[in-house]
Amino acid sequence: MARRADAVVVAKDGLDADFATAPETIPVRNYAAAASIAPRRHADGPLTLVHLGALGRARGAMTMLDALALCPAGTRLRLIGRFTDGSEADFRARAAALGLTERLEWRGWMPHDAALAEAATADIGLVLFQPGVENHRRPCRTSCSTACWPVCR
C-alpha cells in the first residue's frame, strides 16, 4: 500500500524504515519537546516513586502497587496524570487492601512544565508498560528517557 500512496505519515519513532517504498514518509512526533529541568538532588525524607501521564492497567497501575508494597516502609508513590481506562476504582480498592492508601500522592493532570518539575523531585520514575500491548513494544522517548530515571519495564 505504501507504494501506491502519495505519502505515509508515521507517528512513532522507528517506523520510517517500514515504509521506505513510499514516495514520501512524513514523521509526526506526538510528544512534547524536551524541557529543561534541574537534575534531582536527593534529600532527606522518604523514597519517592513517580508515574507521569496516563494511568491504567496496560500502563502497569496495579504493578505499581505491588512494587510499592515491596518497598521500605514510608516509600511514597506520586501519581501525576489520571486514569484513562476506568480502572481507578479498582486501583484505589487494591491500594486500600494492601494498606497503601496513605502512601499515595495524587497530583492529577498538570501543565507540562509543572508536571516535569514535580516529577523531577521524585527519586525513581516508573514506566511499567505491560506485555501484550503492541503499542508498548517500542515506547517513545518521552516514556523512557526524557526524565533520565531508572526505568522498570
Side-chain angles (χ1 to χ4, degrees):
M1 258 169 76
R3 283 179 284 196
R4 294 187 180 136
D6 293 327
V8 174
V9 176
V10 293
K12 190 170 187 174
D13 290 333
L15 294 181
D16 305 46
D18 294 342
F19 297 97
T21 60
E24 183 177 10
T25 303
I26 303 165
V28 176
R29 305 300 176 235
N30 65 350
Y31 47 78
S36 176
I37 301 292
R40 167 77 165 124
R41 289 201 176 109
H42 295 280
D44 290 337
L47 178 68
T48 302
L49 313 175
V50 67
H51 180 274
L52 176 65
L55 291 154
R57 289 183 192 281
R59 290 181 174 258
M62 302 308 167
T63 303
M64 287 180 216
L65 292 175
D66 294 339
L68 182 60
L70 296 172
C71 289
T75 302
R76 315 286 298 159
L77 173 57
R78 182 173 302 147
L79 302 168
I80 303 170
R82 67 177 173 86
F83 280 81
T84 57
D85 69 350
S87 67
E88 183 176 350
D90 291 342
F91 180 88
R92 288 181 183 268
R94 179 148 175 75
L98 293 171
L100 301 174
T101 303
E102 299 302 316
R103 293 168 60 183
L104 300 176
E105 300 176 4
W106 298 84
R107 297 294 192 265
W109 283 125
M110 301 172 75
H112 182 254
D113 289 344
L116 291 179
E118 177 72 23
T121 66
D123 299 295
I124 299 173
L126 301 176
V127 178
L128 300 172
F129 288 158
Q130 300 302 289
V133 179
E134 179 61 24
N135 197 39
H136 295 168
R137 280 190 325 117
R138 289 187 275 181
C140 68
R141 71 179 178 85
T142 55
S143 296
C144 292
S145 63
T146 300
C148 299
W149 304 312
V151 175
C152 304
R153 182 162 182 247

